[in-house]
Amino acid sequence: MGQLYYLSDAEWQEVIKDALSDYNIYAPIRDGKNLTYQSISEYNVASIELNTYRPTQPIKTFLFFFYEQITNIAKFPNLRGSVLMGVKACDLNSLQLYDKMFLEGEFAEPFYKRRRQDLLLISADCQDPIETCFCTTLNNNPYPEEHFDINISAVSSGLIIDVNSEKGEDFIKAKKDIFQKVIDRGILMKREAKRRAIIEKVRQINSNFDIKAPFLDLLREKLVSPVWNESSKTCVTCGACTQICPTCYCFLIEETKGKKENNFSKSRYWDSCQYTGFARVAGGANPRKKRYERLRHRYLHKFDYIRENFGFDGCTGCGRCVAVCQGKIDMRKVFDDLKKAPKNA
Amino acid sequence: MLNPYESIDAKIDDIIVETPNIKTFVLKPKEKITFATGQFIELGLKGVGEAPFTPSSSPYETNQIEVTIMKAGNLTDKLHSIKKSATVTLRGPYGKGYPVEQFYDKDVVIVGGGVGMAPLRSFLLTLLAQKEKFKRLVLCYGAKTPQDIVYKDGFEKWMKEKKLEVYRIVDKKDSSWNEAEGVVPVLLDKFKTNLDNSVAIVCGPPIMMKFTTFKLLGLGYKPENIYLSMEKNMSCGLGKCGHCGLGKFYVCKDGPVFTYDQIKELHETWA
């Protein structure tokens, strides 16, 4: 937690309007049934929806592009002066894994590293969880606790603004005079009560599922179970669950020939472990030929391998994979079914 | 900021035809690449793509790298059709190689199958360059037919090498063959090593690795003394892209060489 301030909605909108001249701001705007991050200008600044649930795009779409040329580039593309606003805790929590994978180890992912340094993150407490939300099942909270530069919590008729980094301080600098430090304990207690209420709401949404992370032991006990085959029957291997997932990071490198001889470039694009050929090796051997093996692999990677390696789960409970699945596969139900199934049958 | 995706050019200095579907490419990289035996590189053809290969030459030979490649897919088909002096791309080396120093004063049994002899040749050359450091060196090798044996000149030399015992076998012999016929694990019955002080280094097709490992275990080798080169489709080589996942490991950074002890519990070890 950084420095806390209390502002009215109108004052915050002034801050944003003022920042539009210096920053590229992206924030959630209602788009039919969905909330999507859109570029903000004076025309849509009043339509920003902060006090809702997570937008459709995961934040990896800003930090780790779907398709991008990765060689023969003059310099690394940057996101200097870009702001992503209205980010929910389930997306911020995905940065824990992304930072581990792409900033640590022998090699850093240079594109992610650059954008991660640049992008300013303004988060907001989740105020309106939907049917697919299950962050509490993963022992996560629906309000931001780390990885943000500024967090916004709507309380009573105003906003608690939590400025958590130097980048965040810089962002409010120009309007610093309207930022009043929070000294009223009552306001903080109201925020706490509201946060408790949202946790309770997410729990209520998930009251039909008798599951709670970590799932490592469950997965090991039920590695061989008819549940896997049963659950994957409606899978059409479209890969949408991995593309929309804020923590899925697997990718493939491809090469493109240029016009001149010897001129070529490499590009990287998101791949999916749900595709048939993902693990296939030269000569054709494939350790995950069957759909159920690939579905199971996704769960094993997130809740066994990542937990083994890093001590946390590769899932934030954002529920996008549930919302997007054409086969109506619900991760919560899969775990619930596994829990009820006999051991390694 | 360094860009780990960029490769360097390497000129093909020579192409040695090993078998009807295996060639060894002698490469002269534009910049020096040093590697530890068992580490792999990403070798590519511009605009076609890259694939992981473990060099088959000795790491002590620093002005060129040799890579032995079997025709098995899109990239390798194209590699087999290119000519001397063409250019390929290289990046790496990646991963952990063979822990050679841990094998000092031991009986070292090398077991290869088919083109799996490629990394083992590099390993063998590394051992032979300091052969006095090892108690005993044994090489077992199997191929489908006598024509499918790689490094024919190499074997001729190795069979004359006093420090090295060589056993060979083919699945199907012909009139030219007066050595054994059968599968690779059979060779392990032809000699005895001091099991308290032996390591076995295995590389070959998955099925051969599986049955060789089981045979070694049956003979009394400890899982931690059996070293396996795991074949996966490493795409990035950097421990990120997810393609070479083997349980909690990424073969590109945690391998490609594993002890059987490390991977024996994983459900995809032999898949």
Side-chain angles (χ1 to χ4, degrees):
Chain A
M1 205 162 64
Q3 183 61 55
L4 301 183
Y5 303 97
Y6 192 63
L7 262 68
S8 71
D9 283 320
E11 283 171 327
W12 176 251
Q13 223 178 88
E14 275 312 302
V15 174
I16 297 304
K17 273 185 189 154
D18 195 63
L20 281 173
S21 53
D22 293 327
Y23 290 90
N24 298 313
I25 301 180
Y26 302 87
I29 300 277
R30 182 71 53 183
D31 182 5
K33 266 169 66 186
N34 297 316
L35 272 175
T36 56
Y37 288 114
Q38 293 183 21
S39 178
I40 301 302
S41 66
E42 55 181 306
Y43 302 108
N44 61 1
V45 67
S47 314
I48 295 174
E49 291 196 26
L50 285 184
N51 303 317
T52 47
Y53 57 97
R54 47 98 194 139
T56 300
Q57 307 106 305
I59 52 175
K60 70 180 181 185
T61 53
F62 289 86
L63 297 169
F64 184 65
F65 290 3
F66 167 70
Y67 187 93
E68 150 166 64
Q69 187 175 323
I70 51 171
T71 63
N72 291 345
I73 45 165
K75 58 174 190 162
F76 288 101
N78 66 66
L79 280 179
R80 218 171 291 144
S82 292
V83 178
L84 193 59
M85 194 162 107
V87 181
K88 298 297 175 283
C90 50
D91 270 343
L92 288 178
N93 290 339
S94 71
L95 295 173
Q96 191 181 14
L97 180 63
Y98 257 78
D99 287 355
K100 272 267 180 249
M101 287 309 301
F102 287 166
L103 301 181
E104 295 182 15
E106 199 184 341
F107 304 94
E109 212 294 330
F111 297 84
Y112 177 81
K113 188 175 177 182
R114 181 68 226 236
R115 294 193 176 107
R116 179 80 171 91
Q117 281 164 359
D118 290 344
L119 186 66
L120 182 88
L121 294 165
I122 302 182
S123 54
D125 288 18
C126 180
Q127 306 274 13
D128 185 20
I130 56 174
E131 279 305 303
T132 49
C133 292
F134 61 103
C135 60
T136 55
T137 306
L138 275 303
N139 306 307
N140 291 332
N141 286 320
Y143 51 87
E145 289 165 290
E146 53 182 339
H147 301 304
F148 59 88
D149 296 300
I150 297 175
N151 182 60
I152 304 171
S153 318
V155 180
S156 305
S157 54
L159 305 170
I160 295 178
I161 310 289
D162 181 347
V163 182
N164 197 32
S165 72
E166 243 171 75
K167 255 195 293 182
E169 283 291 348
D170 265 2
F171 183 79
I172 63 162
K173 202 169 51 191
K175 286 276 174 185
K176 196 64 193 268
D177 51 317
I178 60 169
F179 281 79
Q180 302 292 318
K181 283 189 182 167
V182 174
I183 33 170
D184 184 349
R185 276 182 62 86
I187 294 173
L188 285 178
M189 282 168 73
K190 272 185 190 159
R191 177 171 81 163
E192 192 53 28
K194 207 164 178 184
R195 285 178 164 181
R196 293 295 130 206
I198 300 299
I199 290 176
E200 203 37 57
K201 193 169 174 193
V202 181
R203 284 189 184 143
Q204 269 307 314
I205 288 168
N206 292 283
S207 57
N208 288 335
F209 305 106
D210 179 26
I211 53 166
K212 190 104 176 142
F215 297 116
L216 186 129
D217 291 339
L218 177 66
L219 286 169
R220 289 183 184 180
E221 279 167 13
K222 312 288 171 73
L223 181 72
V224 183
S225 168
V227 170
W228 294 114
N229 202 23
E230 227 17 78
S231 306
S232 64
K233 269 188 175 159
T234 54
C235 174
V236 294
T237 61
C238 67
C241 52
T242 59
Q243 309 281 307
I244 202 88
C245 175
T247 59
C248 275
Y249 56 81
C250 291
F251 63 87
L252 193 66
I253 297 170
E254 71 159 22
E255 294 190 10
T256 328
K257 266 201 176 89
K259 287 205 177 85
K260 286 182 200 149
E261 197 182 358
N262 268 350
N263 191 348
F264 81 113
S265 63
K266 297 178 197 173
S267 297
R268 132 167 88 40
Y269 60 91
W270 297 351
D271 203 351
S272 174
C273 59
Q274 300 307 295
Y275 298 153
T276 321
F278 182 80
R280 188 169 53 211
V281 298
N286 186 351
R288 289 170 225 129
K289 276 191 258 341
K290 300 199 171 99
R291 252 185 321 182
Y292 89 83
E293 291 169 325
R294 298 196 292 275
L295 180 91
R296 184 178 63 183
H297 175 77
R298 183 159 188 269
Y299 289 61
L300 287 170
H301 188 197
K302 292 194 174 306
F303 301 100
D304 183 339
Y305 311 152
I306 289 173
R307 178 157 278 277
E308 267 276 285
N309 286 329
F310 304 129
F312 56 83
D313 290 318
C315 171
T316 67
C318 75
R320 288 187 181 91
C321 59
V322 181
V324 80
C325 183
Q326 298 185 57
K328 297 198 184 329
I329 300 169
D330 188 327
M331 184 180 269
R332 299 169 295 184
K333 183 167 185 309
V334 175
F335 278 125
D336 203 44
D337 290 349
L338 271 183
K339 202 176 165 189
K340 288 174 189 145
K343 278 187 193 181
N344 280 338
Chain B
M1 209 170 347
L2 280 173
N3 189 344
Y5 299 114
E6 294 281 5
S7 310
I8 57 165
D9 284 357
K11 207 183 104 187
I12 297 179
D13 206 42
D14 199 8
I15 300 174
I16 301 152
V17 178
E18 303 282 356
T19 78
N21 65 349
I22 299 172
K23 286 178 179 176
T24 294
F25 297 82
V26 183
L27 308 175
K28 292 247 193 260
K30 259 194 179 160
E31 296 160 37
K32 224 177 218 179
I33 292 187
T34 53
F35 64 95
T37 184
Q39 281 190 302
F40 72 96
I41 46 131
E42 286 282 344
L43 184 151
L45 261 180
K46 291 179 182 183
V48 177
E50 303 171 314
F53 301 95
T54 300
S56 52
S57 52
S58 162
Y60 301 124
E61 197 173 348
T62 50
N63 57 342
Q64 63 181 45
I65 289 185
E66 292 171 34
V67 186
T68 303
I69 296 173
M70 183 170 78
K71 241 174 129 157
N74 184 33
L75 174 71
T76 52
D77 281 357
K78 290 199 169 76
L79 282 169
H80 269 248
S81 69
I82 61 171
K83 305 251 150 51
K84 235 163 103 166
S85 84
T87 300
V88 295
T89 64
L90 294 180
R91 59 185 175 91
Y94 301 119
K96 296 184 172 68
Y98 296 108
V100 175
E101 282 163 30
Q102 289 179 29
F103 305 153
Y104 288 171
D105 300 317
K106 290 189 172 162
D107 293 0
V108 183
V109 180
I110 303 169
V111 193
V115 76
M117 190 61 214
L120 297 177
R121 174 180 178 245
S122 171
F123 176 67
L124 176 65
L125 294 172
T126 308
L127 301 196
L128 288 176
Q130 46 187 326
K131 54 192 168 192
E132 68 289 349
K133 289 185 178 146
F134 306 93
K135 193 144 261 169
R136 187 175 168 195
L137 299 177
V138 183
L139 170 62
C140 303
Y141 177 70
K144 278 187 187 141
T145 72
Q147 278 70 48
D148 293 306
I149 288 174
V150 292
Y151 312 129
K152 292 181 181 83
D153 295 351
F155 271 103
E156 219 168 277
K157 264 186 261 165
W158 300 331
M159 287 163 114
K160 286 179 198 145
E161 172 65 56
K162 273 201 189 110
K163 178 83 187 215
L164 180 69
E165 299 154 56
V166 180
Y167 300 92
R168 299 196 300 180
I169 197 161
V170 293
D171 289 355
K172 207 173 153 41
K173 66 177 177 182
D174 60 19
S175 54
S176 73
W177 190 251
N178 49 24
E179 295 169 58
E181 185 184 47
V183 290
V184 173
V186 171
L187 294 177
L188 297 167
D189 283 324
K190 293 188 182 285
F191 58 92
K192 279 204 166 65
T193 60
N194 172 12
L195 287 175
D196 293 330
N197 196 36
S198 295
V199 290
I201 320 299
V202 187
C203 187
I207 187 91
M208 168 265 175
M209 295 231 285
K210 179 176 173 176
F211 287 107
T212 301
T213 300
F214 292 166
K215 177 76 186 177
L216 288 164
L217 291 169
L219 288 169
Y221 284 78
K222 295 188 189 94
E224 62 268 31
N225 290 332
I226 301 172
Y227 290 80
L228 305 169
S229 292
M230 300 310 287
E231 183 201 16
K232 292 282 165 192
N233 58 351
M234 297 79 126
S235 173
C236 75
L238 312 170
K240 317 235 176 274
C241 78
H243 284 267
C244 63
L246 178 65
K248 67 172 181 178
F249 300 115
Y250 279 158
V251 171
C252 73
K253 73 172 175 64
D254 302 309
V257 178
F258 292 92
T259 67
Y260 181 60
D261 194 49
Q262 281 178 288
I263 56 173
K264 63 180 186 221
E265 308 286 345
L266 308 177
H267 70 283
E268 286 181 351
T269 298
W270 306 120

